[in-house]
Amino acid sequence: MSEGQDQQMQDESILINRELLALSKDQAIDSGDLNSAFRSVTETLSRALKVARASIWLYDANRSSIDCVDLYAQTTNAHSNGIKLHAEQFPAYFTYLTEERILAADDANVDPATFEFSDVYLKPIGIKSMLDAPIRLNGRMIGVICNEHVGEARSWTETEE
């Protein structure tokens, strides 16, 4: 690794850590107001990872779908929710979720776990790369945090993951 690459990784790590530290002190997190907390988390992730979109998805009771409880679009500074993804429509993605590990799709249009989203979601919005991480509560995966990069394909770094 070159000295320049090492410095870039250090700078990236500092930015991400700074954002996460600020999030840990955010009143919305401590308030008990889940909607405010979700909004703070998605905005922070968008800044820290420099992604156009960040969202939080929670499983339904029988784990056959995930519901978007907050999606932050950085370009419009707007939040939305209510989208539902069903396992029967996106079996590869839901199968991957059962592994309960980070999904780093540098090119989400061809990645084996995310290609099913290509025509209906990724291409229309311009999303090229996705970084998803499981949300756990009491040791059980209850949902996923999704970070979406718009533009050229992006190789996710170890620090970002």
Side-chain angles (χ1 to χ4, degrees):
M1 180 180 309
S2 73
E3 191 174 315
Q5 288 172 318
D6 188 44
Q7 183 61 48
Q8 182 180 352
M9 285 181 58
Q10 287 177 3
D11 293 346
E12 179 182 275
S13 181
I14 290 168
L15 170 67
I16 291 171
N17 286 332
R18 185 178 299 132
E19 290 289 346
L20 292 176
L21 179 61
L23 181 63
S24 73
K25 297 176 181 179
D26 191 315
Q27 290 298 321
I29 302 296
D30 292 332
S31 73
D33 178 352
L34 282 178
N35 290 329
S36 293
F38 293 153
R39 292 168 67 96
S40 290
V41 168
T42 55
E43 287 179 24
T44 298
L45 287 171
S46 178
R47 282 191 310 273
L49 297 174
K50 299 178 185 168
V51 293
R53 299 161 60 87
S55 53
I56 299 174
W57 302 76
L58 300 177
Y59 274 113
D60 69 349
N62 59 8
R63 299 174 73 86
S64 63
S65 67
I66 53 176
D67 300 309
C68 179
V69 294
D70 189 71
L71 184 150
Y72 175 67
Q74 185 271 334
T75 54
T76 59
N77 193 31
H79 291 264
S80 61
N81 60 35
I83 303 166
K84 183 181 281 269
L85 301 177
H86 298 276
E88 70 236 15
Q89 293 174 302
F90 307 103
Y93 182 71
F94 276 79
T95 297
Y96 189 90
L97 290 182
T98 65
E99 296 180 20
E100 298 189 14
R101 57 191 181 105
I102 291 173
L103 167 62
D106 295 343
D107 186 345
N109 290 290
V110 298
D111 187 278
T114 57
F115 74 95
E116 297 161 327
F117 297 120
S118 188
D119 290 335
V120 297
Y121 183 69
L122 302 174
K123 287 180 182 176
I125 297 172
I127 297 165
K128 192 64 171 179
S129 304
M130 291 173 57
L131 178 64
D132 291 6
I135 301 170
R136 292 187 177 84
L137 178 64
N138 298 323
R140 182 168 186 255
M141 184 175 167
I142 62 166
V144 64
I145 293 176
C146 183
N147 301 282
E148 301 165 340
H149 177 74
V150 172
E152 296 298 315
R154 175 174 173 172
S155 295
W156 300 102
T157 67
E158 187 177 313
T159 300
E160 292 169 328
E161 290 181 38

